[in-house]
């Protein structure tokens, strides 16, 4: 593996894992919505931001597909583990199954379109900045 | 151009870090409520202190005293009803439900002493003579406590069981 391929691989893995964690939080929040004291759309914000960040990072299109795949496969698994982890072993199997079923449905219906849309928005923002259609504020922090 | 790309990459890193921090904050918000609920359901238990059945003019009467021990949960909670069935090795003596006229609120903000509740229930004539003559009847039931979680109200069922003493049995 050349150095640039290695860097691209780690970038995809990093943004994919961030997407998976934030997607997992959104899926777990929907599964545990009885315990949610904030509006239901707020748990989707971190996942949307993570995918916008991946789009802005300048990862190649095939890499972005991998970012989406890692996020959408990892998210439901993380959600199921997080929901079932504090339960006793007798109950955790049932909770795991019910959460993963619900999380997969959310991933297909909500997260998959959201993922594509946010990655495209991120890519568009990057394109707009590079083509000088949009200017980033001059700041020492960025 | 190169400068813009570097700044864009840094912005992407910042947005990714913000998304992770936001996810952690959201997890903390609902995770703490969820863990408190699991702790409450595993540590709450109801004991049947005594259950005595005696004769009345039109059947029987069952008097119950139940003790409920529940840790602090932080949500509003109230005892709503009690459901139970009476059984012995010889048969089944009916299914009963006692609904509280006014839900009994539970102290859920801090750990408190166990709560003692007294109930009584009429036993209809079709079950009473057979229950009175039965050997070692038992009560199997559950206390229904309504929890007012942030998102919705959830009825939780706390199991309860114990022997039923009949009139004339030593207490």
């Amino acid at each position: 593996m050349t150095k640039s391929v290695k860097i691209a691989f780690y970038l995809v893995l990093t943004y994919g894992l961030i997407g998976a964690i934030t997607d997992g939080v959104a899926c777990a929040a929907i599964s545990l919505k009885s315990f949610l004291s904030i509006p239901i759309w707020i748990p989707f914000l971190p996942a949307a931001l993570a995918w916008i960040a991946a789009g802005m990072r300048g990862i190649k299109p095939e890499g972005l597909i991998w970012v989406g795949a890692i996020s959408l496969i990892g998210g439901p698994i993380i959600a199921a583990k997080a929901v079932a982890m504090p339960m006793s072993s007798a109950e955790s199997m049932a909770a795991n199954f019910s959460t993963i079923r619900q999380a997969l449905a959310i991933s297909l219906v909500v997260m998959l379109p959201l993922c594509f849309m946010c990655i495209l928005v991120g890519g568009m923002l990057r394109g707009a900045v590079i083509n000088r259609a949009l200017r980033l504020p001059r700041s020492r922090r960025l | 151009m190169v400068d813009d790309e570097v700044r864009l990459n840094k912005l992407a890193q910042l947005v990714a870090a913000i998304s992770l921090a936001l996810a952690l904050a959201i997890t903390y918000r609902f995770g703490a409520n969820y863990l408190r609920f699991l702790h409450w359901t595993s540590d709450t238990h109801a004991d049947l202190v005594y259950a005595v059945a005696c004769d009345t003019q039109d059947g029987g009467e069952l008097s119950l005293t139940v003790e409920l021990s529940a840790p602090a949960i932080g949500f509003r909670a109230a005892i709503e009803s009690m459901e139970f069935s009476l059984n012995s090795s010889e048969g089944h003596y009916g299914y009963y439900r006692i609904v509280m006229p006014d839900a009994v609120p539970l102290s859920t903000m801090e750990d408190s002493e166990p709560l003692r509740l007294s109930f009584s229930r009429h036993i209809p004539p079709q079950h009473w003579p057979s229950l009175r003559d039965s050997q070692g009847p038992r009560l199997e039931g559950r206390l229904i406590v309504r929890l007012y979680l942030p998102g919705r109200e959830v009825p939780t069922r706390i199991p309860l069981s114990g022997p039923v003493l009949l009139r004339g049995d030593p207490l």
Side-chain angles (χ1 to χ4, degrees):
Chain A
M1 243 198 272
T2 61
K3 196 182 172 190
S4 62
V5 174
K6 254 187 188 173
I7 290 171
F9 171 76
Y10 286 121
L11 261 184
V12 166
L13 196 65
T14 307
Y15 280 89
L17 285 176
I18 293 172
I21 292 168
T22 50
D23 181 22
V25 167
C27 292
I30 299 303
S31 287
L32 303 174
K33 59 179 177 292
S34 305
F35 303 95
L36 213 56
S37 50
I38 48 176
I40 197 95
W41 56 269
I42 291 182
F44 291 95
L45 273 182
L49 284 176
W51 290 322
I52 288 175
M56 277 167 54
R57 188 61 180 81
I59 300 167
K60 285 180 182 169
E62 57 268 31
L64 286 176
I65 291 171
W66 277 110
V67 169
I70 293 169
S71 305
L72 295 172
I73 294 167
I77 296 169
I78 290 172
K81 291 282 168 207
V83 171
M85 200 165 53
M87 288 186 172
S88 64
S89 56
E91 292 169 323
S92 71
M93 191 76 172
N96 228 327
F97 179 71
S98 127
T99 311
I100 208 154
R101 196 183 54 177
Q102 202 174 16
L104 280 174
I106 295 163
S107 285
L108 279 176
V109 176
V110 183
M111 292 311 205
L112 182 65
L114 187 70
C115 174
F116 273 119
M117 220 170 67
C118 292
I119 285 178
L120 280 177
V121 167
M124 276 164 57
L125 283 174
R126 184 179 179 84
V129 170
I130 286 173
N131 294 327
R132 308 268 175 189
L134 194 72
R135 283 182 191 281
L136 287 177
R138 294 270 160 200
S139 157
R140 286 202 172 274
R141 280 192 179 175
L142 292 178
Chain B
M1 184 91 162
V2 174
D3 183 41
D4 273 346
E5 277 199 27
V6 171
R7 291 169 67 212
L8 263 172
N9 293 347
K10 284 189 177 171
L11 182 64
Q13 283 171 13
L14 181 70
V15 172
I18 289 171
S19 77
L20 267 182
L22 201 57
L24 282 176
I26 291 167
T27 309
Y28 179 75
R29 279 298 284 260
F30 72 82
N33 289 342
Y34 177 53
L35 291 178
R36 277 211 309 270
F37 171 77
L38 288 180
H39 170 66
W40 189 86
T41 48
S42 66
D43 285 6
T44 297
H45 60 271
D47 298 310
L48 187 64
V49 179
Y50 71 83
V52 183
C54 58
D55 262 321
T56 58
Q57 284 176 343
D58 56 343
E61 171 122 352
L62 181 69
S63 302
L64 304 165
T65 297
V66 172
E67 202 169 76
L68 176 71
S69 311
I73 185 174
F75 311 123
R76 206 153 59 84
I79 302 165
E80 203 177 67
S81 61
M82 184 179 164
E83 296 170 352
F84 60 92
S85 61
L86 299 172
N87 304 292
S88 78
S89 53
E90 296 144 34
H92 178 73
Y93 310 108
Y95 177 81
Y96 304 88
R97 185 157 190 250
I98 302 170
V99 179
M100 302 284 180
D102 298 307
V104 180
L106 277 179
S107 168
T108 55
M109 296 303 168
E110 54 192 35
D111 291 320
S112 57
E113 291 291 304
L115 183 68
R116 261 192 183 216
L117 302 156
S118 295
F119 306 97
S120 72
R121 181 70 164 84
H122 172 69
I123 299 168
Q126 72 260 34
H127 291 306
W128 175 240
S130 47
L131 174 65
R132 186 182 51 201
D133 302 334
S134 65
Q135 292 293 313
R138 280 189 70 79
L139 179 148
E140 301 287 339
R142 53 208 177 174
L143 202 62
I144 295 165
V145 178
R146 186 165 286 270
L147 280 179
Y148 297 85
L149 298 176
R152 68 174 174 149
E153 296 170 18
V154 181
T156 52
R157 291 164 178 83
I158 300 150
L160 177 72
S161 68
V164 176
L165 302 175
L166 300 167
R167 191 188 62 165
D169 282 353
L171 280 174

